[in-house]
Structure formats: C-alpha cells, structure tokens
Amino acid sequence: MSWYRSAVWFLKGLREYTRGGYDSASKHFVPADLEVNVTGRTFMITGANSGIGKATATEIAKRGGTLHLVCRNKERAEEAKREITTETGNQNIFLHILDMSNPKGIWEFAEKFKTEHKLNVLINNAGCMVNKRELTEDGLEKNFATNTLGTYILTTALLPLMEKEDDPRVIIVSSGGMLVQKLDVSDLQSENVTFDGTMVYAQNKRQQVVLTEQWAKVHKNIHFSAMHPGWADTPAVRSAMPEFYEKMKNKLRTEAQGADTVVWLAVSPAAAKQTSGLFFQDRQPVSTHLLLARTYSSPEEEEKLIEALEELSQKFKPT
C-alpha cells in the first residue's frame, strides 16, 4: 500500500504541485480576492524569516496588516523584518524569538502575548524535517515537537484571545505529503520504527490536518483551514530534501507562488465563506485522501490524538 500511495502521490505532484500546476490553477483565480486592505487586523506567522512564511508576511504587510513574526533565529528574523519593512513601507512589524520545539517556551510566550496584543489571524507555518531521530532538551522527537505539539500548544493557547476578535482565522501550512500517511496515534514520537524523516514529517502533516478538522468542530466562531503550498523552492526544501531539490529544481514553484493560498486564506473575504476545517490547494478545497489509499482514520483514533496532545501539553504548562 505504501508503494501505491507514493506512486500515485508523485504522479499527482508532477501534475499539480509544480510551477506548471500553479500556472494552470492560477488561470481560475479571482484577482479581486486579494485586492483588500487589512489595516487594523493583526496577523501572527511562525517561521516567518524565510521561505513561504516570509513571502506570506510580505504580502500581508503590503496590504496594511500588523504582523507578529515568530522566529527561532534572532539575526535572520531581524534581517527579514528589515527587508519586509523596506519593500512594503509597513512599520507595524514585530519580532518574537521562539523555538517551536520548546513547549514550555511556547506556553510562556502565548500567555504573555495574550496580555499585550490582539490577534485576528494565526498562521502556523514553522516546520521541521530532520532526517535522523533527534530529541529536544525535553526528550521529545524534534519533528513531532515542532510540527505537531508546538502547533497544538500555540493554537490552543491563543484561541481564547482570538475568539474575542472579528473574523478570526487559523491557518496551518501543512503538506500534500500527508496524503501518503494514515493517522498513527500508537507511536507519535517514532520510537518503535526505523526512522524515516520524510515519512515522519508526512505523518506530522497528517496530524495537523486532523487537528484542523477537530478544532473546526469545536470552535464554531473561528475559521480553520489547512493547506498545501505545492512543491516550492525554499531554503527548507533545499536543506531537508537535497536529492528531491536537485531532481525537481527547474519545476519548483517560487516562494510567492507557494505562499499564494496562505495569503488568500488569511486576508480574502472569499476564503472566510468556505466551510471551516477544510484542506486547500491553489485556493480550492481538495480531498485529504488519495483514491483507494486507505488513509482514513476512525473518530476514536482522532480523539486519541487530541487526548495525547492535551495530556503532553499540560506537562509543560507553567503553573
């Protein structure tokens, strides 16, 4: 089954996820969707100092949004802020230095942020793909800690703040790679398998899609969405997937093309009219499963994921 999923997914990717796929899909975009002014609205973007996060921040800054850039590396974050400010003229850009694999740090950051700021839109973009099993200082597998637990803690901690605002939205930058994975709650930290960083990342991205669907059921006044940016030429792809990059570099999307649907979900009135909890690709909701791939999970498995993340997150919550 894994061979079938991978083959079908790669063929789908060649058709849809490349620059050519974007060019084809963009013929149906409505330009007016992004002709908006979001002055007065506040956006938080994790992993915003490069790649899709930075491209998203730049487009939102052009439209007047107040930006909170959450980044791990202070020097690169400051450089990104300078570049975005210079390009857009937007002075309402604020930096927060935070490692999204540090659950206690995320809790502390979110609790402080809630006392000082408002928030309309949260964009969970930060991601991690390490190809050898690494543990954080807290003993957590690094991909899981960043992609799944970090996203869970930041989002759940900020939801009460967002519920007070007009038209609140939560967006998760997931990946089409999740289509090759069925949710597995039995081994969230990859302790009992031969470690494959690409598949662990894909599993984390499946978990993010399930979280999006579950949050949408519970928090009815917040619009949730997950999305796939396509195969884009970003620093993360070059460093984490060098062989894939070398084979595909002439077909990869630009960072701006990868960010397009993130921006659309964050700012356009059209996006808010879509049903909450869906998975998007090129401004359209798409299926979260490949045909005949047997990747559907049961409600019980999805509930177990939420329970496991809640239990783990509480261990790191400051008293």
Side-chain angles (χ1 to χ4, degrees), residues 2 35-37 41 47 54 86 88 112 120 142 152 154 158 203 208 256-257 278 295 301 303 313:
S2 61
E35 292 171 2
V36 294
N37 186 318
R41 285 178 64 76
K54 183 184 174 188
T86 299
T88 68
K112 185 171 186 289
N120 298 97
K142 194 167 186 179
Y152 178 83
L154 184 64
L158 292 176
Q203 174 64 213
Q208 290 180 342
Q257 290 171 340
L278 298 180
T295 49
E301 288 171 314
E303 183 60 33
S313 70

Side-chain angles (χ1 to χ4, degrees), residues 38 41-45 48 53-70 81 84-85 88 90-96 113 117 119 121 123 266-267:
V38 291
R41 285 178 64 76
T42 301
F43 301 77
M44 180 185 291
I45 308 173
K54 183 184 174 188
T56 299
T58 301
E59 291 303 315
I60 293 173
K62 287 177 181 176
R63 291 162 175 81
T66 296
L67 286 164
H68 292 274
L69 310 183
V70 178
K81 178 186 173 182
I84 295 169
T85 300
T88 68
N90 190 328
Q91 300 296 319
N92 294 314
I93 301 174
F94 305 93
L95 291 183
H96 307 274
F113 187 91
H117 306 283
L119 184 62
V121 180
I123 300 172
V267 306

Side-chain angles (χ1 to χ4, degrees), residues 106-264:
I106 298 169
W107 274 119
E108 291 170 345
F109 161 72
E111 294 304 318
K112 185 171 186 289
F113 187 91
K114 286 192 286 189
T115 66
E116 299 174 349
H117 306 283
K118 71 168 199 168
L119 184 62
N120 298 97
V121 180
L122 169 61
I123 300 172
N124 288 296
N125 167 73
C128 174
M129 186 197 293
V130 294
N131 291 307
K132 293 183 179 178
R133 192 171 187 272
E134 291 181 27
L135 300 183
T136 68
E137 291 181 2
D138 299 302
L140 301 167
E141 191 278 312
K142 194 167 186 179
N143 291 306
F144 167 79
T146 305
N147 301 327
T148 303
L149 184 62
T151 296
Y152 178 83
I153 292 175
L154 184 64
T155 304
T156 52
L158 292 176
L159 287 178
L161 176 66
M162 299 183 69
E163 284 175 336
K164 302 173 184 177
E165 300 299 331
D166 178 55
D167 187 19
R169 308 183 191 189
V170 174
I171 299 146
I172 295 183
V173 179
S174 182
S175 169
M178 67 92 193
L179 290 167
V180 304
Q181 286 283 308
K182 179 183 185 296
L183 179 67
D184 180 4
V185 293
S186 67
D187 190 19
L188 290 175
Q189 299 198 57
S190 310
E191 297 172 277
N192 304 317
V193 293
T194 301
F195 192 85
D196 180 334
T198 303
M199 288 299 105
V200 170
Y201 179 82
Q203 174 64 213
N204 295 160
K205 294 298 168 177
R206 169 64 71 186
Q207 292 161 1
Q208 290 180 342
V209 169
V210 171
L211 285 176
T212 301
E213 294 167 344
Q214 295 301 309
W215 280 326
K217 293 175 185 176
V218 177
H219 302 278
K220 302 290 189 182
N221 60 333
I222 297 178
H223 190 276
F224 292 87
S225 56
M227 62 78 66
H228 174 41
W231 294 341
D233 186 349
T234 65
V237 168
R238 285 175 232 157
S239 63
M241 305 175 71
E243 292 181 8
F244 174 81
Y245 174 75
E246 282 303 316
K247 288 177 184 175
M248 299 297 297
K249 60 185 178 183
N250 294 326
K251 292 183 171 66
L252 298 179
R253 298 180 177 202
T254 65
E255 293 172 346
Q257 290 171 340
D260 176 83
T261 295
V262 190
V263 178
W264 183 81

Side-chain angles (χ1 to χ4, degrees), residues 1 5 178-183 206 210 288-298 301-302:
M1 181 54 67
R5 291 175 192 164
M178 67 92 193
L179 290 167
V180 304
Q181 286 283 308
K182 179 183 185 296
L183 179 67
R206 169 64 71 186
V210 171
T288 55
H289 300 278
L290 294 170
L291 185 66
L292 303 176
R294 299 181 184 175
T295 49
Y296 288 89
S297 49
S298 68
E301 288 171 314
E302 293 172 0

